[in-house]
Amino acid sequence: MSDEQQAQGQGAASGERQALVRVVVADDQTAVREALATVLDLQPGVEVVATARDGEEAVRAAEEHAPDVILMDLNMPRMDGVEATRLLTERFPRVAVVVLTTFADEEYILAALGAGARGYLTKESGRQDITRAVRAAAAGQSVLDPAVRDRLVAAAARGGVPAERPAGGLAPDLTRREIEVLTLIGEGLTNRGIAERLVVSEATVKTHINNLFAKAGLRDRAHAVKYAFVHGLVKTPG
């Protein structure tokens, strides 16, 4: 192998290392924690750098290992997942938290998202869904399990979730394309799904999302789902 080929190979390997999504798995059940760590470690571009048995260990792991994503259970001893997410958001804002839990009640969903979680999945999610959510969170995207999105929309329908703006219509300066993107977010599509539906790049979708979030005063994808429902862009599930 020539020096040039070797250098190219080393550069490619370095690029792959830089592209790795570093993950901490936090769950108080040993079997679940170890199974998740094993599954994620087998995925290309994902590396589990630590596991944690509770929220306190998750926060320490973030400090020690500087992960990109923490896959967080909610019901854990000593410090639960919501409190750990709140601390992580305050201390390590670049670390994305993706909740993976058995609970899909709106109080848990709203508490976790309010604490700063970037994604929320139930433990019925498959390994591909979990892997996609981890990668999406590392890329700055939010991911909601379809069942979670439906709960949020249903809560908004009952008036249990306040709208982000007064019910006087959409933000007036939203473009037609931004409204289309907002509608698709409300329907539960990921950035990739929106890009495929609109036949544009994911980078273009991200730009539209950033613009509509700024114009409508939205903080995250969960609030966008509620906003889309309140303004009649999506309908109540069922």
Side-chain angles (χ1 to χ4, degrees):
M1 178 183 294
S2 69
D3 291 341
E4 181 179 357
Q5 289 174 320
Q6 185 173 4
Q8 289 176 346
Q10 290 173 345
S14 176
E16 289 174 1
R17 284 196 298 272
Q18 292 174 358
L20 278 177
V21 178
R22 295 164 52 82
V23 180
V24 169
V25 176
D27 196 296
D28 65 319
Q29 297 183 48
T30 302
V32 173
R33 184 173 65 248
E34 292 179 351
L36 286 170
T38 299
V39 166
L40 287 171
D41 251 340
L42 292 173
Q43 306 308 309
V46 178
E47 178 186 11
V48 175
V49 296
T51 60
R53 294 172 295 181
D54 54 49
E56 289 184 5
E57 288 191 4
V59 174
R60 285 201 300 271
E63 184 175 7
E64 294 173 10
H65 299 280
D68 301 298
V69 178
I70 294 183
L71 195 61
M72 182 79 72
D73 188 20
L74 288 185
N75 189 16
M76 296 186 292
R78 294 203 298 175
M79 180 187 293
D80 66 24
V82 171
E83 181 60 24
T85 298
R86 185 174 293 109
L87 287 177
L88 288 163
T89 301
E90 293 173 358
R91 299 181 188 177
F92 312 103
R94 65 166 296 279
V95 178
V97 175
V98 174
V99 170
L100 180 65
T101 181
T102 57
F103 301 107
D105 297 338
E106 63 195 57
E107 61 180 299
Y108 288 103
I109 298 168
L110 293 174
L113 296 177
R118 193 171 293 172
Y120 197 112
L121 302 176
T122 67
K123 287 186 176 177
E124 294 184 2
S125 302
R127 62 182 181 182
Q128 291 184 340
D129 294 326
I130 296 170
T131 303
R132 276 196 295 266
V134 165
R135 288 177 176 149
Q141 302 173 24
S142 298
V143 178
L144 298 178
D145 185 291
V148 170
R149 181 191 69 85
D150 290 350
R151 288 294 183 106
L152 287 175
V153 171
R158 295 194 304 273
V161 180
E164 291 303 305
R165 297 173 65 91
L170 291 166
D173 50 350
L174 288 179
T175 66
R176 178 183 61 82
R177 182 62 95 184
E178 288 163 359
I179 293 172
E180 288 178 329
V181 170
L182 176 61
T183 301
L184 294 175
I185 290 174
E187 292 176 0
L189 271 68
T190 63
N191 285 10
R192 177 176 294 181
I194 294 171
E196 292 174 351
R197 179 77 64 87
L198 299 180
V199 195
V200 298
S201 69
E202 286 190 60
T204 297
V205 172
K206 289 179 183 178
T207 298
H208 288 316
I209 289 175
N210 289 338
N211 289 340
L212 77 88
F213 274 29
K215 292 176 182 179
L218 304 173
R219 293 195 303 273
D220 53 38
R221 217 173 185 90
H223 295 114
V225 171
K226 293 181 285 184
Y227 186 77
F229 169 79
V230 167
H231 291 92
L233 298 180
V234 293
K235 303 303 181 183
T236 308

